[in-house]
Amino acid sequence: MLKSTTPADHIPFVNSEADCHILHTSYADARIVRLPLLNAERLIARIPTGPRRWIDPELDGLHHWNAAAPQYTKYIKTFARHEQILDEGFQKKPQKPVVREFVNAVLDTCSIIQPAWLTVPQLPVITDVTRNKLNRELAEATREWATTNQFAGMLVLPVIFTHQAQLNLKTARTPKVAITAQCYALSGAKGLWVVDSSLMDQDGSKTLEQTRFPGVISMHEELRQTIPDAVVIGGPYWGLNLVLWAKGLISHPGIGLGNRYQFHLSGGRLLQGKTRIALDCLKRLVIVDADLQVWLGDAIKTVAPTDPAHFEFTTLLSRFSTLLHANTNRDQIARTYKKWYDSLATVPLPGRALALYQQFSSAYVLGKSLPDLPEKGTARRPERIAQQLMLACL
């Protein structure tokens, strides 16, 4: 089958030079890429020329200001009036001239990079309403800036949730949808970026299938009903972003580049994660260590030689030593994820959710026949991740 030359809907989140390498090798067909303003000038020279630029000033990091990394705090301090924006008393009673000066400083800096898309300055969602006034003022100031500067690109309103309690129940979601609609209208945005920063969709916990996945899906359904014409980005996640895209609830799945399949608030001090690889036949990630090497050997004996999983496991085992290196494993995950995305992109939207369901169903059936993975908790069952995401497709 010939590869389509049509730009892909996925939006890679590019944060580093290593991300730029993977963007070139696996995701150069993206329509648009998200770049953080802090590193944008350094990264632009390293990305492909095809995708357009979505610049994000990453103000979501103000949510955990006291724990932010020094580089991030230095960056934020370059913007006029940041002290007032950080003040909780000011957030409850914001002053328009102060907010306008801050927004102008942020967006003037973004505009130097000539973005096609631009994130509206906003603070992340919290459980109470104390940020609502400030977010409305930030949205209104953004519209004034865009009008004054004749910004021709698309404004994207970020809706970044910070706790599952904001999404799980309709009584909590309804006011969040309302404030989102208000800020969307005030800002003049044409896009929404919606992500739950507290959601790790591969931990295998029961609350994912019973509460959390339904909550995120319902939020997107309610936003789609309230703001039907918005361009919507969802994620990054590992699989839930693809579920939302397959169901037609988002226009673009936000994706990691071989890592970061959970959105972390900007400016934080990220800990070094464990080395992982992707198991395509199971639609999941697994930790790479000596125990996995043993598991692959056992799994090969369980699977029929004619099964594609047999070839996959055999190939991984034969090159296992190379997969212990971070760069190699990231490339492997990125290529596997791209193959997965492309297999769905060839399916017309009306049948995409069913196609994804069938993929997860096949992974579930295979996983049920395999021994436990050397993972902790409920995620040790090979079929667990596919099982939970399969149910979310319905």
Side-chain angles (χ1 to χ4, degrees), residues 249-291:
L249 294 174
I250 64 174
S251 321
H252 303 279
I255 61 170
L257 291 165
N259 65 357
R260 296 196 187 189
Y261 293 101
Q262 176 185 4
F263 180 73
H264 297 280
L265 294 176
S266 306
R269 304 168 191 259
L270 291 178
L271 300 176
Q272 182 67 38
K274 294 182 178 180
T275 302
R276 288 177 165 81
I277 59 171
L279 298 181
D280 183 33
C281 60
L282 294 174
K283 298 292 181 276
R284 64 173 294 165
L285 297 176
V286 290
I287 296 171
V288 183
D289 57 18
D291 291 333

Side-chain angles (χ1 to χ4, degrees), residues 161 164 166-170 173 194 196 199 207-222 240 244:
F161 295 96
Q164 62 173 302
Q166 299 152 8
L167 288 155
N168 288 347
L169 300 176
K170 183 168 177 56
R173 292 194 304 268
V194 186
D196 179 0
L199 180 62
T207 58
L208 289 180
E209 66 203 70
Q210 296 175 348
T211 307
R212 302 203 67 181
F213 287 173
V216 173
I217 291 169
S218 293
M219 168 59 78
H220 277 276
E221 290 172 342
E222 291 156 20
L240 190 59
L244 293 166

